[in-house]
Amino acid sequence: MSNDTLIEKLSAERNLSDGELKELLDSKESDQSLFAAADRKRREIYGDEVYLRGLIEFTNHCRNNCYYCGIRCGNKSAERYRLGKEDILACCDEGYRLGFRTFVLQGGEDPFFTDDKICDIVYAIRSRFPDCAITLSVGEKSKESYKSFFDAGANRYLLRHETASEEHYRRLHPENMSLANRKRCLFDLKEIGYQVGSGFMVGSPYQTTDNLIEDLRFLQSLKPDMIGIGPYITHEQTPFSSFTNGGVELTLRLISVLRLMFPYALIPSTTALGTLHPQGRELGLKAGANVVMPNLSPVEVRKLYSLYENKICTGEEAAQCRGCLERRISEAGYKAVTAIGNVKKEQKR
Ligand code: SAH
């Protein structure tokens, strides 16, 4: 089948076979028509609106040792920090003033932040900003912990599955972590009632196209509300320091395929994409993404949340970021909106 026929089939919301997906992902000749089809689909559902999420990276302490990540516990040269509750609330105040109606609290798996502490912070944000969504991204926890965060007022949770292949998962993570637990977490989060986001890195070490197809199939079984992907970017202080970065083109192609396979999904155009290409985030939007997540963390700590090298937007105040992004979004042909930005409809069952 020609790529154009495959794109038409995907646009009509018909399932592609593994072979067909592979054909589409492995060739770049129809990228422009693929991006255009994804953009049509996103405009059908979300118009030209781009939702902004204020990202607060509140701790870079982590008990895990993922081989790709710069804040892994094995990186002894990382300078560690934590924000206190009042710092976090101050970020939210500033974010609210700038028009953000979603706060994303992301961090390493930091044992200092016990369930009680997280609940206390979430509850404080919930009380002060009843009209905002609170998104957590703090890794793998028990179902009881997730439930207590939810009851304290959190509505959304981001936890990328990273890779849906057992074999690939083993090459990216140490023995004490498991794909089965990652998946368990994602299904628990859904059951509790969170809007759930998952996703993966593109071009991570040892990744094959078959792995990417497994990722898409896993997402079809999870039916997440949000799907975050970004290129893998190397970091000096990891065992993967000699691997090359993931590809921008392949990431864009995957954003488009995701938009066509999951028309209602909230898909961010990520900072990692913006790091590898000066117009990366604009290109991501044009390929079907509809969310951006500017950084609200205090400038003093921005550089320390270093998952990968050369991360952008680490030197600017939140207000500058907001202005810069708004301009970029409108130059790309879209509109940044101040809205809570919930998913428009559940994915088909
Ligand atoms: N501890 C939280 C947050 C992790 S950081 C959790 O486990 O969910 C958020 C995401 O950054 C990760 O899910 C991973 O996909 C991505 N990431 C980590 N290292 C990266 C790297 N070197 N290049 C690109 N993305 C990376």
Side-chain angles (χ1 to χ4, degrees), residues 62 64 68-71 106-109 137-140 157-160 162 182 199-201 230-235 272 305 307-309:
C62 192
N64 289 330
Y68 44 84
C69 183
I71 64 167
Q106 186 176 85
E109 291 192 18
S137 178
V138 294
E140 298 177 17
Y157 205 100
L158 302 180
L159 184 73
R160 291 184 177 179
E162 313 296 1
R182 200 84 181 167
F200 52 90
M201 288 174 289
Y232 161 76
I233 305 176
T234 195
H235 189 290
Y305 197 79
L307 308 175
Y308 49 79
E309 284 161 8

Coordinates of all heavy atoms in Angstrom, one line a residue, residues 62 64 68-71 106-109 137-140 157-160 162 182 199-201 230-235 272 305 307-309, ligand 1:
C62 N 16.3 11.4 43.5 CA 15.6 10.2 42.9 C 16.3 9.0 43.4 O 17.5 8.8 43.5 CB 15.6 10.3 41.4 SG 14.5 9.0 40.7
N64 N 15.8 6.1 42.0 CA 15.9 5.2 40.9 C 17.2 5.5 40.1 O 17.8 6.5 40.3 CB 14.7 5.3 39.9 CG 13.5 4.7 40.5 OD1 13.6 3.7 41.4 ND2 12.4 5.2 40.2
Y68 N 19.2 6.1 31.4 CA 19.1 7.2 30.4 C 19.0 8.6 31.1 O 19.2 9.6 30.5 CB 17.9 7.1 29.5 CG 16.6 6.7 30.2 CD1 15.8 7.6 30.8 CD2 16.3 5.3 30.3 CE1 14.7 7.3 31.5 CE2 15.1 5.0 31.0 CZ 14.3 5.9 31.6 OH 13.2 5.6 32.3
C69 N 18.8 8.6 32.4 CA 18.3 9.9 33.0 C 19.4 10.6 33.8 O 20.1 9.9 34.6 CB 17.1 9.6 33.9 SG 16.5 11.1 34.7
G70 N 19.6 11.8 33.6 CA 20.6 12.6 34.3 C 20.5 12.8 35.8 O 21.4 13.0 36.5
I71 N 19.2 12.6 36.3 CA 19.1 12.8 37.8 C 19.0 11.4 38.5 O 18.6 11.3 39.6 CB 17.8 13.7 38.2 CG1 16.5 13.1 37.7 CG2 18.0 15.1 37.6 CD1 15.3 13.7 38.3
Q106 N 6.3 17.8 39.0 CA 7.1 16.7 38.5 C 8.4 16.6 39.4 O 8.9 17.6 39.8 CB 7.4 16.8 37.1 CG 8.2 15.6 36.6 CD 8.4 15.6 35.1 OE1 9.4 16.2 34.6 NE2 7.5 15.0 34.3
G107 N 8.8 15.4 39.6 CA 10.0 15.2 40.3 C 10.6 13.8 40.2 O 9.9 12.9 39.7
G108 N 11.8 13.6 40.7 CA 12.3 12.3 40.9 C 11.5 11.6 41.9 O 10.7 12.2 42.6
E109 N 11.8 10.3 42.1 CA 11.1 9.5 43.2 C 11.9 9.8 44.5 O 12.9 9.1 44.8 CB 11.0 8.1 42.9 CG 10.1 7.8 41.7 CD 9.7 6.3 41.5 OE1 10.0 5.5 42.5 OE2 9.2 6.0 40.5
S137 N 3.4 14.0 38.7 CA 4.3 13.2 37.9 C 5.5 12.8 38.8 O 6.5 13.5 38.7 CB 4.8 13.9 36.6 OG 5.7 13.1 35.9
V138 N 5.2 11.9 39.7 CA 6.2 11.6 40.7 C 6.5 10.1 40.8 O 6.9 9.5 41.8 CB 5.8 12.1 42.1 CG1 5.8 13.6 42.2 CG2 4.4 11.6 42.6
G139 N 6.2 9.4 39.7 CA 6.7 8.1 39.5 C 5.8 7.0 40.0 O 4.6 7.2 40.2
E140 N 6.4 5.8 40.4 CA 5.7 4.6 40.7 C 5.4 4.6 42.2 O 6.3 4.7 43.0 CB 6.5 3.4 40.3 CG 6.8 3.3 38.9 CD 7.6 2.1 38.5 OE1 7.8 1.1 39.3 OE2 8.2 2.1 37.3
Y157 N -2.4 12.5 36.1 CA -1.1 11.9 36.5 C -0.3 11.5 35.2 O -0.9 10.9 34.3 CB -1.3 10.6 37.3 CG -0.1 10.3 38.2 CD1 -0.1 10.6 39.6 CD2 1.0 9.7 37.7 CE1 1.0 10.3 40.4 CE2 2.1 9.4 38.5 CZ 2.1 9.7 39.8 OH 3.2 9.4 40.6
L158 N 0.9 11.9 35.2 CA 1.8 11.6 34.0 C 2.8 10.6 34.5 O 3.6 10.8 35.4 CB 2.6 12.9 33.6 CG 1.7 14.1 33.2 CD1 2.7 15.2 32.7 CD2 0.8 13.7 32.0
L159 N 2.8 9.5 33.7 CA 3.8 8.4 34.0 C 4.1 7.7 32.7 O 3.3 6.9 32.2 CB 3.2 7.4 35.0 CG 4.2 6.3 35.4 CD1 5.3 6.8 36.4 CD2 3.4 5.2 36.1
R160 N 5.2 8.1 32.0 CA 5.5 7.5 30.8 C 5.8 6.0 31.0 O 6.5 5.7 32.0 CB 6.7 8.2 30.1 CG 6.3 9.6 29.6 CD 7.5 10.1 28.9 NE 7.3 11.4 28.3 CZ 8.3 12.1 27.7 NH1 9.5 11.5 27.6 NH2 8.0 13.3 27.2
E162 N 7.7 4.5 29.0 CA 9.1 4.5 28.5 C 9.4 3.5 27.4 O 10.0 3.9 26.4 CB 10.2 4.3 29.6 CG 10.0 5.1 30.9 CD 10.1 6.6 30.7 OE1 10.3 7.1 29.6 OE2 9.9 7.4 31.7
R182 N 5.3 -0.8 36.3 CA 4.9 0.5 35.6 C 3.5 0.4 35.0 O 2.7 1.3 35.2 CB 5.9 0.6 34.4 CG 6.1 2.0 33.9 CD 7.1 2.8 34.7 NE 7.3 4.1 34.2 CZ 7.9 5.1 35.0 NH1 8.4 4.8 36.2 NH2 8.1 6.3 34.5
G199 N 3.5 7.5 27.8 CA 4.4 7.9 26.6 C 5.7 7.3 26.7 O 6.0 6.4 27.5
F200 N 6.6 7.7 25.8 CA 7.9 7.1 25.7 C 8.9 8.0 25.0 O 8.5 9.0 24.5 CB 7.8 5.8 24.8 CG 7.1 6.0 23.5 CD1 7.8 6.3 22.4 CD2 5.7 5.9 23.4 CE1 7.2 6.5 21.1 CE2 5.1 6.1 22.2 CZ 5.8 6.4 21.0
M201 N 10.2 7.6 25.1 CA 11.2 8.4 24.5 C 11.4 7.8 23.1 O 11.3 6.6 22.9 CB 12.5 8.3 25.2 CG 12.5 9.1 26.5 SD 14.0 8.8 27.5 CE 13.7 7.1 28.0
G230 N 9.1 12.4 23.4 CA 10.1 13.3 23.1 C 11.3 12.5 22.7 O 11.5 11.4 23.0
P231 N 12.2 13.2 21.9 CA 13.5 12.5 21.6 C 14.3 12.2 22.8 O 14.4 13.0 23.7 CB 14.2 13.4 20.6 CG 13.6 14.8 21.0 CD 12.2 14.6 21.5
Y232 N 15.0 11.0 22.8 CA 16.0 10.7 23.8 C 17.1 11.7 23.6 O 17.5 11.9 22.4 CB 16.5 9.3 23.7 CG 17.8 9.1 24.4 CD1 17.8 9.0 25.8 CD2 19.0 9.0 23.6 CE1 19.1 8.8 26.4 CE2 20.2 8.8 24.3 CZ 20.2 8.8 25.7 OH 21.4 8.6 26.3
I233 N 17.7 12.3 24.7 CA 18.8 13.1 24.6 C 19.9 12.7 25.5 O 19.6 12.4 26.7 CB 18.5 14.6 24.8 CG1 17.3 15.1 23.9 CG2 19.7 15.5 24.7 CD1 16.8 16.5 24.2
T234 N 21.1 12.6 25.1 CA 22.1 12.0 25.9 C 22.5 12.9 27.1 O 22.3 14.1 27.1 CB 23.3 11.6 25.0 OG1 24.2 10.7 25.7 CG2 24.1 12.9 24.6
H235 N 23.1 12.2 28.1 CA 23.6 13.0 29.3 C 24.9 12.4 29.6 O 25.1 11.1 29.8 CB 22.6 12.8 30.4 CG 22.9 13.7 31.6 ND1 24.0 13.5 32.4 CD2 22.3 14.8 32.1 CE1 24.0 14.4 33.4 NE2 23.0 15.3 33.2
A272 N 12.0 18.6 25.2 CA 13.1 17.8 24.5 C 13.2 18.0 23.0 O 14.2 18.2 22.4 CB 13.0 16.3 24.8
Y305 N 17.5 20.6 37.3 CA 16.6 19.5 36.9 C 17.1 19.0 35.5 O 16.4 19.3 34.5 CB 15.2 19.9 36.9 CG 14.2 18.8 36.8 CD1 13.9 18.1 38.0 CD2 13.6 18.4 35.7 CE1 13.0 17.0 38.0 CE2 12.7 17.3 35.7 CZ 12.4 16.7 36.8 OH 11.5 15.6 36.9
L307 N 17.6 16.3 33.2 CA 17.4 14.9 32.7 C 18.3 14.6 31.6 O 18.7 13.5 31.4 CB 16.0 14.8 32.3 CG 14.9 15.2 33.2 CD1 13.5 15.1 32.5 CD2 14.9 14.4 34.5
Y308 N 18.6 15.6 30.8 CA 19.5 15.5 29.6 C 20.2 16.8 29.4 O 19.9 17.8 30.0 CB 18.6 15.1 28.4 CG 17.4 16.0 28.2 CD1 17.5 17.2 27.6 CD2 16.2 15.5 28.6 CE1 16.4 18.0 27.5 CE2 15.0 16.3 28.5 CZ 15.2 17.6 27.9 OH 14.1 18.4 27.8
E309 N 21.1 16.8 28.4 CA 22.0 18.0 28.2 C 21.4 19.1 27.4 O 20.5 18.8 26.6 CB 23.3 17.5 27.5 CG 24.2 16.8 28.5 CD 25.3 16.0 27.9 OE1 25.4 16.0 26.6 OE2 25.9 15.2 28.6
Ligands
SAH1 N1 10.1 10.4 38.1 C1 9.0 10.8 37.2 C2 9.4 11.9 36.3 C3 10.5 11.4 35.3 S1 11.2 12.7 34.3 C4 8.6 9.5 36.5 O1 9.1 8.5 36.7 O2 7.6 9.6 35.8 C5 10.1 12.8 33.0 C6 10.4 12.0 31.7 O3 11.7 12.5 31.2 C7 10.7 10.6 31.8 O4 9.5 9.9 31.9 C8 11.5 10.3 30.6 O5 10.7 9.8 29.5 C9 12.1 11.6 30.2 N2 13.6 11.5 30.2 C10 14.4 11.1 31.2 N3 15.7 11.1 30.7 C11 15.7 11.6 29.4 C12 16.7 11.8 28.5 N4 17.9 11.5 28.7 N5 16.3 12.3 27.2 C13 15.0 12.5 27.0 N6 14.0 12.3 27.9 C14 14.3 11.9 29.1

